[in-house]
Amino acid sequence: MVEVLEVTGTPSHIRDKALAMIPDGNLNACLTCGTCASGCPATGQMEMDPRKFLRMAVLGMDDQLERHPWVWVCTMCKRCYDVCPMSINIPQLIYDLRAQWPRQERPKGILGSCDHHINSDGGAMGVPLEDFKFTIEDLAEECRDQPGFEDLKADLDREGAFFALNQNSREPVTEPDELLPLWKILHTVGADWTYYSRMWGGENYCMFLADDPSWEKIIRIQVEHIEKLGCKVFINTECGHSFYAVWQGLRRFNIPHNFEFKSIIEYYARWIREGKLPVNSDWNTKGLKFTVQDPCNVVRKSLGDKLADDLRFVVRQVVGNENFIDMAPNRSMNFCCGGGGGSLQAGYTQERHAYGKVKLNQIMATGADYVITPCHNCHAQVEDIGHHFKASYHTVHLWTLICLSLGILGENERTYLGPDLAEFGL
């Protein structure tokens, strides 16, 4: 039976929010064409989709929407917004509704990560600064034992460094050897860089929690500390959501700053073009095939297709043009993998897997052996759906393949390589 919707004439704050984002406050501006729903991987989850959500909002159905858990399944990837012929910002409405939930009733995983970040003055894992500092020093000593890196430097709070570098806090805690390929790349190109000590974690789950004050606090502390160090460029590692958190935070909260904010993918491409990063694809003698996931946060939601083109330039140089197979659709029109928006810690695993099936089908259609994922949330989700659906591909960071290409990938830096490459070059 068709569900009967009860529409009342009572005041609606959700409708007011919807009206505010529709041109001229005209509800007919939404054509109910369904373009948003047809391009949304979350469509059908919890019997909801973007079109239905918006129509319920403009009809004033506050009771049905105020605590609807679909707002935590939607990743706010903005694909619906990009394809909407009337440019209605449904993701902003989702964000606003997340913010209306009583804070302690929001998903515990996202809430805990936000609070860990604020309370530790570091990152979402709650790692004390002394532990982070010890990890840096210990790993740098380990790296200096490898030929060619005897004078590698990895320091903290060095004033006057050109680059200030963030780091997803998952790596120092659960996979510290993943720091080394990145450091080796920076060393190879002669980059002048330092970590910064306050709010050093790149991730920002307070943004996913829709906690504006905490999101802003993290960004302001980062900015003030980096300005104090005098760094010229704040460089973000391979993490899409950490990039967007800063990029959007600077704008949303009108935070003045004197540094440039850049993705390291932009610099990978620049350093290859300048000859500072002499990668080549000669190592790929087996003709292994690779595809790439475009992270929504750093492509569609911020830097656009220019970043996507830089990403493909780097990948083609590293694995060989003939060994790269693009997903379809791709770049700014790519589908979200389902790992963003805090979904990995929201607790709705079944829905997240169903959401990710769209991405899995994209990957499988390429026939690629490896999926390159320059984003931590994408990496975790793409790897997880591969295991869940028993797919045969491997999920890998871009820095791993760059170092493999350069012949400088260490024995303990190969966690995500398959058996075909696990010992290559050793």
Side-chain angles (χ1 to χ4, degrees), residues 162-168 171 178-195 233-240 242-244 247 260-274 277 295 298 302-303 306-315 372-376 397-400 402-403:
F162 186 80
F163 293 112
L165 179 71
N166 66 16
Q167 192 73 56
N168 189 292
E171 290 150 354
E178 287 299 310
L179 301 178
L180 298 184
L182 176 60
W183 293 359
K184 289 178 176 179
I185 292 169
L186 294 170
H187 179 79
T188 298
V189 302
D192 175 25
W193 68 278
T194 186
Y195 284 123
V233 175
F234 181 7
I235 192 167
N236 191 84
T237 59
E238 294 180 27
C239 185
S242 65
F243 182 90
Y244 182 74
W247 185 87
E260 289 187 275
F261 181 58
K262 296 286 188 179
S263 166
I264 200 166
I265 295 170
E266 298 175 274
Y267 273 95
Y268 286 164
R270 177 186 298 188
W271 290 330
I272 290 173
R273 291 184 174 110
E274 293 174 349
L277 203 57
V298 77
S302 48
L303 298 182
K306 183 181 185 303
L307 190 282
D309 290 341
D310 277 345
L311 174 57
R312 280 159 177 74
F313 168 75
V314 175
V315 170
I372 300 169
T373 53
C375 171
H376 279 278
H397 298 293
L398 186 51
W399 58 51
T400 302
I402 290 174
C403 285

Side-chain angles (χ1 to χ4, degrees), residues 357-378:
K357 188 64 164 55
V358 174
K359 177 57 56 181
L360 181 90
N361 292 340
Q362 265 195 296
I363 295 169
M364 298 305 293
T366 68
D369 303 289
Y370 284 85
V371 184
I372 300 169
T373 53
C375 171
H376 279 278
N377 286 347
C378 292

Side-chain angles (χ1 to χ4, degrees), residues 42 45-46 69-75 98 343 348 351-352 355:
Q45 300 304 310
M46 299 179 173
W70 191 77
V71 300
W72 303 102
V73 175
C74 166
T75 62
R98 285 189 179 193
S343 62
Y348 299 103
E351 288 81 6
R352 176 170 57 79
Y355 189 125

Side-chain angles (χ1 to χ4, degrees), residues 139-332:
L139 285 171
E141 185 176 347
E142 174 188 324
C143 194
R144 284 191 286 267
D145 288 337
Q146 298 184 34
F149 297 97
E150 294 82 0
D151 58 347
L152 179 138
K153 293 181 180 179
D155 50 28
L156 186 69
D157 284 343
R158 180 165 54 82
E159 294 185 7
F162 186 80
F163 293 112
L165 179 71
N166 66 16
Q167 192 73 56
N168 189 292
S169 66
R170 185 183 76 177
E171 290 150 354
V173 177
T174 64
E175 45 186 20
D177 285 320
E178 287 299 310
L179 301 178
L180 298 184
L182 176 60
W183 293 359
K184 289 178 176 179
I185 292 169
L186 294 170
H187 179 79
T188 298
V189 302
D192 175 25
W193 68 278
T194 186
Y195 284 123
Y196 56 94
S197 61
R198 298 205 61 199
M199 299 298 185
W200 55 265
E203 68 284 351
N204 194 321
Y205 279 86
C206 298
M207 175 180 68
F208 295 147
L209 192 67
D211 180 348
D212 271 7
S214 296
W215 176 10
E216 180 177 2
K217 180 177 181 179
I218 290 171
I219 304 301
R220 285 194 180 276
I221 290 175
Q222 288 174 333
V223 169
E224 290 170 5
H225 194 64
I226 292 170
E227 294 279 51
K228 187 181 298 183
L229 293 175
C231 301
K232 303 298 184 185
V233 175
F234 181 7
I235 192 167
N236 191 84
T237 59
E238 294 180 27
C239 185
H241 107 250
S242 65
F243 182 90
Y244 182 74
V246 176
W247 185 87
Q248 178 65 5
L250 294 173
R251 291 159 174 76
R252 185 181 184 91
F253 307 117
N254 297 313
I255 301 175
H257 56 285
N258 296 311
F259 55 75
E260 289 187 275
F261 181 58
K262 296 286 188 179
S263 166
I264 200 166
I265 295 170
E266 298 175 274
Y267 273 95
Y268 286 164
R270 177 186 298 188
W271 290 330
I272 290 173
R273 291 184 174 110
E274 293 174 349
K276 294 179 179 179
L277 203 57
V279 300
N280 65 74
S281 60
D282 294 346
W283 61 273
N284 194 5
T285 56
K286 298 180 181 179
L288 296 171
K289 303 304 180 185
F290 295 79
T291 191
V292 67
Q293 162 66 3
D294 290 295
C296 302
N297 281 297
V298 77
V299 177
R300 175 164 52 247
K301 293 173 67 174
S302 48
L303 298 182
D305 284 346
K306 183 181 185 303
L307 190 282
D309 290 341
D310 277 345
L311 174 57
R312 280 159 177 74
F313 168 75
V314 175
V315 170
R316 292 175 188 276
Q317 295 298 309
V318 170
V319 306
N321 186 60
E322 68 281 7
N323 298 314
F324 172 68
I325 307 171
D326 224 337
M327 294 188 211
N330 54 61
R331 296 174 171 81
S332 292

Side-chain angles (χ1 to χ4, degrees), residues 17-213:
K17 288 181 179 294
L19 281 167
M21 61 182 66
I22 295 177
D24 301 321
N26 178 10
L27 298 183
N28 291 325
C30 174
L31 307 174
T32 65
C33 63
T35 305
C36 56
S38 65
C40 170
T43 288
Q45 300 304 310
M46 299 179 173
E47 300 183 350
M48 186 59 71
D49 63 63
R51 176 174 60 174
K52 181 178 179 181
F53 201 93
L54 181 62
R55 296 315 299 170
M56 291 175 70
V58 298
L59 290 172
M61 302 174 67
D62 289 25
D63 290 345
Q64 291 92 329
L65 293 181
E66 282 180 335
R67 294 292 179 274
H68 202 299
W70 191 77
V71 300
W72 303 102
V73 175
C74 166
T75 62
M76 300 177 292
C77 77
K78 285 195 172 182
R79 195 174 195 275
C80 60
Y81 182 31
D82 268 19
V83 300
C84 175
M86 302 308 295
S87 298
I88 298 174
N89 194 346
I90 298 174
Q92 183 60 52
L93 181 61
I94 297 295
Y95 184 92
D96 292 343
L97 289 177
R98 285 189 179 193
Q100 289 181 198
W101 281 49
R103 196 173 190 277
Q104 293 304 315
E105 293 182 18
R106 302 176 202 181
K108 292 182 179 179
I110 305 175
L111 175 64
S113 292
C114 173
D115 288 347
H116 282 321
H117 203 146
I118 293 295
N119 295 333
S120 69
D121 200 40
M125 300 290 286
V127 179
L129 177 60
E130 287 305 309
D131 289 359
F132 180 48
K133 183 178 180 181
F134 173 81
T135 299
I136 294 172
E137 293 172 349
D138 187 56
L139 285 171
E141 185 176 347
E142 174 188 324
C143 194
R144 284 191 286 267
D145 288 337
Q146 298 184 34
F149 297 97
E150 294 82 0
D151 58 347
L152 179 138
K153 293 181 180 179
D155 50 28
L156 186 69
D157 284 343
R158 180 165 54 82
E159 294 185 7
F162 186 80
F163 293 112
L165 179 71
N166 66 16
Q167 192 73 56
N168 189 292
S169 66
R170 185 183 76 177
E171 290 150 354
V173 177
T174 64
E175 45 186 20
D177 285 320
E178 287 299 310
L179 301 178
L180 298 184
L182 176 60
W183 293 359
K184 289 178 176 179
I185 292 169
L186 294 170
H187 179 79
T188 298
V189 302
D192 175 25
W193 68 278
T194 186
Y195 284 123
Y196 56 94
S197 61
R198 298 205 61 199
M199 299 298 185
W200 55 265
E203 68 284 351
N204 194 321
Y205 279 86
C206 298
M207 175 180 68
F208 295 147
L209 192 67
D211 180 348
D212 271 7

